[in-house]
Structures are given as C-alpha cells and as structure tokens.
Amino acid sequence: MPNRVYIFDTTLRDGEQSPGCSMTVPEKLRLARKLVELGVDILEAGFPIASEGDFEAVDAVSREFSWVQVAALARANTPDVERAAASLKHARRPRIHTFIATSEIHLQYKLKKSQQQVLDEAVAAVELARQYTDDVEFSAEDATRTEPGYLEQISRAVVAAGARTVNLPDTVGYSVPEEYGALIRRMVQVLGDSAIVSVHCHDDLGLATANSIAAVQAGARQIECTINGIGERAGNASLEEIVMAFKTRRDKLPYETKIVTEHIYSTSQLLAQTITFGPQPNKAIVGDNAFAHEAGIHQDGYLKERTTYEIIDPHTVGVPETKLVLGKHSGRHALHKRAEDLGFQLGKEELDALYLTFTALADRKKGVGNEEIVCLIREVVGETAAAAND
Ligand code: KIV
Ligand code: ZN
C-alpha cells in the first residue's frame, strides 16, 4: 500500500528520557499494553545499555507482546548493539535501532571523529546488528544539520550493510517544513525501494508535527512520535496530532495508519497519570480545552450545528463529550441548554432574570459550575418553582 505510514512510537524511549517522565518497568508494561491496543506499528521500549531498568523493560515488553515489532536503541558500537540484542532475545519481531551523529558540529565537538570514521562505525554497527535480526534501523543523529552529500553517502552505506530503515532526525528541532520536505524527497530518491525513510522531529520551534507531515508528503513512510508529544526538551512530534491530521484532512493527506483513534484520549490520560504532568489545557486533540467552548457566539453556533466550531467529533478520539464552559463569554442559548440539562424548564422571563444574575457572577469568576447554576436558578425562580422542576 503506497500510502501506508508506519507509526513508530517512542514514548517509552525518547519520551521517557525527558525530565519528569521516567517510568518503572511495570509502568512501561502498562503503557505498552495501551499502545498496542492503540495500534502502533513499532514500539521502542528503551535504550538497554543506559540502565538495568531499560534493559528489563525491553525484555519484558518483547516477551509480553510477542506479536509486536519491538525496538531497542543502541549507539553505533559493539557493547550497545550487543546489549540491545540481548534485551530483544525473546522478541519475535526484534528491531535494533542504532544511531550515530553525522553533522559537522557533532563530529567536531562531541565525537571528535572524521566523517570516514563515523561512516565506518555506522556500517560496522549495522553489520553487527544484522547478525541478530533482519530488522535494523539506522538513525543519522542531527541529520538536518548534516552536509547533504555526506548524509547520502552514509545512508547508502548503511543500507548496503543491511539497514532496512533509514531515519533522518531533526534532532534539535531546527528545520522548517519546506526544507525538511526537500531533504526527505532527495533521500527517498537516493534510496528508492532499498529502505524505508523514517522521520523523527523534535519540537523546539513548535514545528515537529508540520515537519513530519511535510516529510510524509515527500515520501517518508515511517514517523517516530510520542503520546502527548513528550520527549527531549520541547518534545517529539505528537502521535495524536499527526494521526488526526491524516484522518481529518484526507482530501490533502491521503495516508493510512493502523491507529485506532478511539483509544487516543485514554492513552493520553494513562500517560499523564504515569508521569509527572499531563498535556497543557490547550493542547490539540487531548488537552482539556480541545473540545471546550466558552464564547457565546461559538456556543450558539455549536448548539445549532456541531461542525460550525468543531472539525473533529470528540468521540473519534475517545473524548466522552464536548464541554460547554459557562463563563463570562457565554450566551443565553448555552445557559438555557445547561438549565435544561440540569432538569429545569425556564420560561423567557425566568431565563432573562437568570442570565442577569449569571453574568454578574461570571464577571467575577473564571467559570461557573453546575452547582452554582442550580443555586442561581433557585434564587431566581424561587424554591417552589425550582422544586417543581426537580
Ligand atoms: O533525536 C534524535 O536524533 C534521536 C535519535 C536517537 C533517533 O532521538
Ligand atoms: Zn529524539
């Protein structure tokens, strides 16, 4: 299927390696179960050489979810690759994901190695990994700041050595969509059918989702991403944003994933309960306000026809319902509907009186809850009339 895009979830690896996100082995297993239910294609469960816990997590995830492709990260050296291979010993579909930095800035200051040395180490790591599994992915760390000619050279070399997936990360979130798309298009042409081109975008400029989508339009067929966009620094591309962009804008983005979108919200919630923070309220798709309307004009339009102000039906992503938040920007229509939902049938004059007291209260507060609305109704229509409605 030419438009099938593989979702490589790295919540348990890149996501976990950011502040406030570390997870125990049982926590990773619980999330892995949810990610499998969500339908991710490849589950990166850890960086086994980094800690005993990461080793155990990869081992446990690959034993329990034997039918899933499980990936383990390794730098391009023998101990890392062997440790990754050992952690995947019980996996039925193991992937070794080996990486080395390729940009001049990383070669000069971090690795202190020449381009030829790095290329030789990358090839050796891929060859070694291939002794353990057919499924080897190579990542050129900081690909977007790498000299393109060298990126071509190293990509061809690792594919000749047996890599099936070549990942070109925007490690520091520096790229802009047009530029990243052009780089990916060039590499897809260079590699042809010999490997899947993968993308891995960080969000330092808030462009990780846009860059990932531009890359898919240019021919990439694997996206590395995380739930709630967690990950190093500003995070990784957010799985839910990319998948819902494909689903919502099929006219422009006719790409297929295997994600069962109805599980998106519960996966996001489980992650939030596991780590130390949840998505910000205005986070696309999974934030508390993603399906909340407060402005009167919006509430009125929404109540007449949902699609006036909602491009996604919240049930599609497993959000139980749209929230009409009653605050100082809300209108009569929404207040009337809330009163009805709370069991009160108000006449025009009662509604007018209620609206006056409501706006006076809402002016002083950030939002007005159901209990307060019931109190206002009782004040306005009187205990007896309210009781008749009970
Ligand atoms: O951001 C990055 O370059 C990475 C690689 C290890 C894939 O996380
Ligand atoms: Zn990363």
Side-chain angles (χ1 to χ4, degrees), residues 13-14 171 200 202 232 236:
R13 197 282 295 171
D14 205 321
T171 302
H200 175 117
H202 280 271
E232 288 279 4
N236 287 72

Side-chain angles (χ1 to χ4, degrees), residues 140 143-144 148 151-152 155 166-170 175-192 195-201 210-223:
T144 50
L151 196 59
E152 268 193 26
S155 299
V166 174
N167 184 37
L168 302 169
D170 186 25
S175 257
V176 295
E178 194 192 7
E179 180 188 31
Y180 195 48
L183 175 72
I184 298 300
R185 187 165 290 111
R186 174 173 173 168
M187 299 306 297
V188 168
Q189 269 162 13
V190 166
L191 297 179
I196 288 190
V197 171
S198 164
V199 294
H200 175 117
C201 297
N211 283 336
S212 304
I213 289 174
V216 168
Q217 290 178 302
R221 285 296 174 266
Q222 175 178 285
I223 302 181

